[in-house]
Amino acid sequence: MEKNKLIELKNIVKSYDGEVVVDHMTLYIRENEFITLVGPSGCGKTTTLRMIGGFEKPDKGEIIMNGQVVNDLPPHKRPINTVFQKYALFPHLNVYGNVAFGLNNKTYAELMEFYTEEKVMAQVAKLYPGLDLKDKVSKRKLRKSINSLIDESVRNALKLVNLEGYEKRKVDSMSGGQQQRIAIARAIINRPKILLLDEPLAALDLKLRQNMQYELKEMQRKLGITFVFVTHDQEEALTMSDTVVVMSKGIIQQIGTPQDIYNEPKNSFVANFVGESNIIKGLYTAHKEVTFMGQSFECVDENFAIGEEVQVVIRPEDWDVVPLEQAKLVGRVDASVFKGVHFEHCVIIQGKELIVHTYEFVKVGEQIGLNVDPYEIHLMKKEKVNAETVLEEILNAEEGINKDETIQ
Amino acid sequence: MKRFSKLSIPYLIWMSLLVLIPIAILIIMAFQETKGIKIFEGKLTFNNFKVLVDDYFIESLWLSFLYSGISTVCCIFIAYPIAYIIARSHFNNRFLVLCFLVLPMWSNTLLRTKAIASLFMEGNIISSMLAKIGLELPTLDLYGKPLGVIIGMVSMYLPFMILPIYTVLEKIDKSLYDASDDLGANTFKTFWKVTFPLSLKGIVTGIILVFLPCATGFGIAEGLGESGLIGTFIQQNFGNNITYGVGALVSIVILIIITASLFIVGKVDKEGETLL
């Protein structure tokens, strides 16, 4: 089933003080999908989100919704709600007041449309059993029925985030995880077309974060709302998303399903950012054959010219440790770390370090034999910059000033 | 925490010397009919209490509260927009702007009162200067008039309203405005549903800081030709009339009214964050 495009970004450019944060970005978001923007700090993901939400205006390009350019539409007129990074709950309102805030902002006519007349009339009949609905119902009674519907909505929203019974509590007396749930309830009660989530899990501890990841995914499936999620955590992105957008320096590096992104990274940035990778120089020596480290391997990639230089990506867990006599590559284990589920060996072959994840223990200093299956070998076009400098840039970007935060 | 409790001793001494003991003396004096302070000679009497039903006293008290009430309300309406604009502006040096607003406070109150008073009278410096270049201004005949007193009070105490309101407005998390906008509130609604409720504490603080000195002080009103207020009433009893007992009693009554009102404010504002 082809899903409709909900919102489209076309050639969006945004810069602050002459520094380009989002560079000619083109992206569309479909109905009912969980899309994640992931990238190191300062890659423009939060800015992109804020432009979708209407808090920032793009310098160039168009944001299109329902065939209309909405660049200048203020946030309160967009069918989009946001869960903010630090939740931004209203401290002067209790939990109920926070959650009901969006609905209370709607006018009578808007609420009538929101709940549909049918539902409001049903509520009137429920509240005033003796009333003859064929007569004109007084505005006061309608208003009262709508208010009781709002009340119901608030309770349902709180139920959805497992916070029933907390209506009267002050928001600053709640824990971080609870505040975050309130923020989610406050946003989804308005039944937005798109829910934007700006690193909502960043402030939670690991266990809570993992739980919330599943809950959010589940919520998205249940509600059928499109979620646009921003994170710098690649694991989070892979776990939750239907579509992952990897960004770096304001440019989209790759868009795809989590599997695509992980197994078929388009360039060394993606290969390195999303999970660990071994990137090795190689030569496409024959049809479906690549040679690296002095050995030729069978592979599945076809779109290369014979004799072309390529980059070979092999995930650490894709190596097979085999007896030395069967191995195509033999190296020495230089270091070994126990990671819980697996061992991480640092293997040196021909002066190059490779990362290998296996379940088997190998003593440091011993020889190790490695093989790799054809379908585990992924080839990339050779880039001008090599993998090391890209990796360095990632590290620098993460250490550097968090641009996303300073602009707010 | 216990280690620091000793540090409070100087303040306790200070408090008892300069607050508790003087109040005790006031209370004793309120029950005596003496000329001047003669705490141990006077006899217990309730004669001073007659003043509380005196028309002149009631009139002064009422006028004082009326004037300071009006002045406080004016201060709120003038100070709030100023504080709001500064707090939401993108001036690089908002503190400097604030300083300029507060600058008049650095000059002597009495001097300022006299200066304002002279502007209200005929032949003041501005009109005489303007007269020299041929501009005849109608005289601001405000000296001794209620409007004049209120203008004086407002100009004197405006900074005390601006500062606390500015402080709370400045502290409001900017992301709350985004959140409100996101949840369907336009600028007007955001103001009434987010900004204003969150700045109430500043307003209450401002009211306390403006209303109390307005209601109890006598310098400003006196300087502007109004001598029918309670401050002047007390001053007369301690000054020319040396009927200290009456003065003491009136002071205590006002003290009780103020304490009671602060208590009520404290009850309404449960967190007690109002008083800076």
Side-chain angles (χ1 to χ4, degrees):
Chain A
M1 188 185 78
E2 184 58 29
K3 290 172 184 168
N4 294 328
K5 288 177 190 173
L6 259 185
I7 193 165
E8 231 179 317
L9 311 184
K10 271 191 183 163
N11 277 319
I12 297 289
V13 179
K14 176 82 188 168
S15 49
Y16 292 104
D17 304 325
E19 203 178 330
V20 179
V21 184
V22 175
D23 195 359
H24 290 93
M25 180 175 193
T26 298
L27 174 74
Y28 60 85
I29 295 164
R30 284 171 304 189
E31 245 168 42
N32 195 10
E33 76 174 333
F34 199 121
I35 183 166
T36 301
L37 307 180
V38 63
S41 298
C43 72
K45 54 193 191 305
T46 295
T47 308
T48 307
L49 196 77
R50 286 177 65 80
M51 285 193 285
I52 297 173
F55 304 109
E56 309 277 350
K57 286 178 192 168
D59 299 340
K60 272 187 220 154
E62 289 170 336
I63 300 175
I64 299 164
M65 273 184 94
N66 295 328
Q68 281 177 322
V69 179
V70 295
N71 285 17
D72 295 328
L73 205 66
H76 62 264
K77 293 202 175 129
R78 297 191 186 200
I80 296 175
N81 285 108
T82 311
V83 175
F84 292 88
Q85 197 164 14
K86 286 173 190 115
Y87 318 141
L89 298 175
F90 302 115
H92 59 295
L93 300 173
N94 58 16
V95 174
Y96 187 98
N98 266 285
V99 177
F101 194 89
L103 291 181
N104 284 338
N105 276 331
K106 288 193 196 300
T107 61
Y108 173 80
E110 282 167 345
L111 283 167
M112 207 61 171
E113 202 191 317
F114 182 78
Y115 283 117
T116 69
E117 198 165 332
E118 207 176 311
K119 220 175 153 196
V120 174
M121 292 318 282
Q123 189 72 8
V124 172
K126 204 170 128 195
L127 283 184
Y128 306 98
L131 205 69
D132 186 6
L133 291 180
K134 280 173 204 105
D135 297 341
K136 207 173 174 305
V137 182
S138 73
K139 196 134 187 185
R140 201 181 60 85
K141 282 186 178 131
L142 281 175
R143 185 73 235 190
K144 247 191 153 170
S145 309
I146 287 176
N147 282 346
S148 74
L149 281 174
I150 290 179
D151 195 71
E152 230 168 69
S153 299
V154 172
R155 275 165 223 288
N156 285 338
L158 284 174
K159 197 168 161 188
L160 192 74
V161 296
N162 291 326
L163 279 178
E164 291 157 292
Y166 286 91
E167 287 88 352
K168 293 268 141 40
R169 287 276 288 274
K170 292 214 81 174
V171 285
D172 38 15
S173 70
M174 315 277 280
S175 70
Q178 289 171 326
Q179 290 193 9
Q180 199 226 7
R181 286 153 189 270
I182 300 168
I184 294 170
R186 183 177 75 169
I188 57 174
I189 193 173
N190 306 297
R191 298 190 213 140
K193 290 240 166 64
I194 302 177
L195 184 70
L196 307 178
L197 300 111
D198 186 5
E199 305 215 19
L201 306 181
L204 305 180
D205 61 64
L206 182 68
K207 266 274 174 280
L208 201 55
R209 198 159 69 215
Q210 285 169 345
N211 281 339
M212 279 312 288
Q213 285 174 8
Y214 294 115
E215 277 183 41
L216 278 176
K217 179 74 202 142
E218 188 60 28
M219 213 181 277
Q220 191 269 332
R221 210 181 47 75
K222 239 195 287 183
L223 293 168
I225 296 173
T226 294
F227 277 35
V228 183
F229 193 92
V230 157
T231 181
H232 60 262
D233 184 341
Q234 42 90 13
E235 199 189 308
E236 209 164 273
L238 296 179
T239 322
M240 303 168 77
S241 323
D242 300 321
T243 307
V244 178
V245 179
V246 185
M247 289 181 71
S248 165
K249 295 176 168 179
I251 297 167
I252 295 180
Q253 303 293 330
Q254 189 172 0
I255 304 177
T257 63
Q259 289 92 329
D260 282 347
I261 299 278
Y262 192 81
N263 295 329
E264 309 279 329
K266 260 193 188 155
N267 56 34
S268 49
F269 174 84
V270 178
N272 272 311
F273 187 75
V274 181
E276 281 177 283
S277 290
N278 296 295
I279 300 179
I280 309 157
K281 267 188 218 160
L283 203 64
Y284 200 70
T285 36
H287 184 66
K288 292 196 179 183
E289 188 196 87
V290 63
T291 306
F292 58 90
M293 294 185 144
Q295 292 283 345
S296 58
F297 291 83
E298 207 187 309
C299 67
V300 289
D301 294 82
E302 293 180 351
N303 309 328
F304 296 90
I306 291 172
E308 192 182 339
E309 281 188 62
V310 293
Q311 286 183 302
V312 183
V313 179
I314 299 169
R315 295 286 181 185
E317 66 276 15
D318 289 343
W319 293 107
D320 299 320
V321 178
V322 291
L324 294 179
E325 57 272 17
Q326 294 170 22
K328 277 194 165 174
L329 295 171
V330 175
R332 184 173 55 80
V333 176
D334 192 46
S336 181
V337 179
F338 178 59
K339 289 273 190 175
V341 180
H342 59 263
F343 289 95
E344 182 176 295
H345 304 299
C346 181
V347 178
I348 295 193
I349 302 175
Q350 299 163 15
K352 178 147 176 62
E353 272 186 24
L354 296 179
I355 302 165
V356 179
H357 289 177
T358 70
Y359 301 121
E360 294 97 25
F361 173 72
V362 185
K363 251 195 204 155
V364 173
E366 267 183 17
Q367 299 276 39
I368 185 171
L370 297 174
N371 255 3
V372 61
D373 291 327
Y375 56 87
E376 315 268 40
I377 296 175
H378 171 64
L379 300 187
M380 298 188 306
K381 298 259 181 210
K382 194 172 180 284
E383 290 162 50
K384 282 175 204 105
V385 281
N386 64 26
E388 274 81 22
T389 50
V390 173
L391 191 66
E392 229 164 71
E393 275 165 21
I394 299 172
L395 293 173
N396 287 341
E398 277 176 358
E399 281 164 16
I401 317 154
N402 189 337
K403 217 180 287 166
D404 292 354
E405 274 167 21
T406 46
I407 54 159
Q408 280 170 16
Chain B
M1 285 313 282
K2 213 169 177 193
R3 279 192 302 150
F4 295 106
S5 64
K6 277 189 185 143
L7 286 176
S8 68
I9 290 176
Y11 300 102
L12 289 178
I13 295 172
W14 179 275
M15 283 275 285
S16 41
L17 274 181
L18 295 175
V19 180
L20 294 180
I21 294 175
I23 288 177
I25 294 174
L26 272 185
I27 292 172
I28 294 170
M29 287 200 316
F31 292 97
Q32 291 176 346
E33 225 175 349
T34 54
K35 299 272 176 198
I37 305 181
K38 298 186 185 88
I39 297 176
F40 301 107
E41 292 164 31
K43 287 186 200 113
L44 182 72
T45 164
F46 289 95
N47 283 348
N48 294 336
F49 283 76
K50 278 185 216 150
V51 75
L52 297 183
V53 291
D54 185 51
D55 281 346
Y56 182 47
F57 166 77
I58 293 170
E59 172 85 19
S60 328
L61 195 64
W62 160 243
L63 261 189
S64 296
F65 280 18
L66 186 69
Y67 280 18
S68 18
I70 294 172
S71 303
T72 310
V73 172
C74 292
C75 274
I76 296 174
F77 279 104
I78 299 169
Y80 202 101
I82 295 174
Y84 185 79
I85 290 165
I86 300 175
R88 303 240 13 206
S89 68
H90 298 286
F91 292 135
N92 275 333
N93 215 334
R94 286 185 280 188
F95 186 67
L96 199 70
V97 180
L98 267 188
C99 273
F100 280 122
L101 284 171
V102 180
L103 205 61
M105 264 167 66
W106 296 355
S107 63
N108 184 291
T109 319
L110 205 62
L111 214 62
R112 268 188 297 157
T113 314
K114 289 285 176 205
I116 293 171
S118 81
L119 284 183
F120 288 164
M121 285 185 283
E122 226 171 311
N124 65 57
I125 182 163
I126 290 179
S127 62
S128 59
M129 263 170 23
L130 288 176
K132 277 190 183 145
I133 57 164
L135 262 174
E136 284 295 336
L137 277 189
T139 320
L140 288 169
D141 189 17
L142 291 172
Y143 186 77
K145 301 277 162 57
L147 183 61
V149 178
I150 288 167
I151 291 176
M153 285 178 169
V154 169
S155 72
M156 214 64 74
Y157 290 110
L158 192 59
F160 292 98
M161 190 62 89
I162 296 177
L163 283 177
I165 296 178
Y166 169 78
T167 311
V168 287
L169 285 178
E170 222 260 319
K171 266 199 290 188
I172 296 175
D173 186 356
K174 301 282 175 291
S175 65
L176 293 183
Y177 301 132
D178 277 352
S180 174
D181 197 351
D182 185 65
L183 294 166
N186 53 27
T187 317
F188 181 75
K189 273 189 189 161
T190 300
F191 177 80
W192 285 112
K193 296 181 115 179
V194 180
T195 318
F196 186 70
L198 284 172
S199 62
L200 267 180
K201 285 173 179 168
I203 297 176
V204 175
T205 310
I207 289 174
I208 294 171
L209 289 180
V210 172
F211 185 82
L212 296 187
C214 276
T216 55
F218 79 99
I220 296 166
E222 187 88 331
L224 293 171
E226 168 63 73
S227 42
L229 301 189
I230 200 73
T232 310
F233 186 88
I234 297 172
Q235 188 261 339
Q236 279 165 355
N237 280 301
F238 280 102
N240 309 336
N241 300 353
I242 48 169
T243 43
Y244 283 16
V246 177
L249 179 67
V250 174
S251 304
I252 288 169
V253 169
I254 291 177
L255 201 67
I256 290 170
I257 295 174
I258 290 168
T259 317
S261 61
L262 284 184
F263 185 73
I264 292 166
V265 169
K267 276 276 165 197
V268 174
D269 171 46
K270 278 167 205 132
E271 286 124 68
E273 286 167 30
T274 306
L275 285 166
L276 306 170

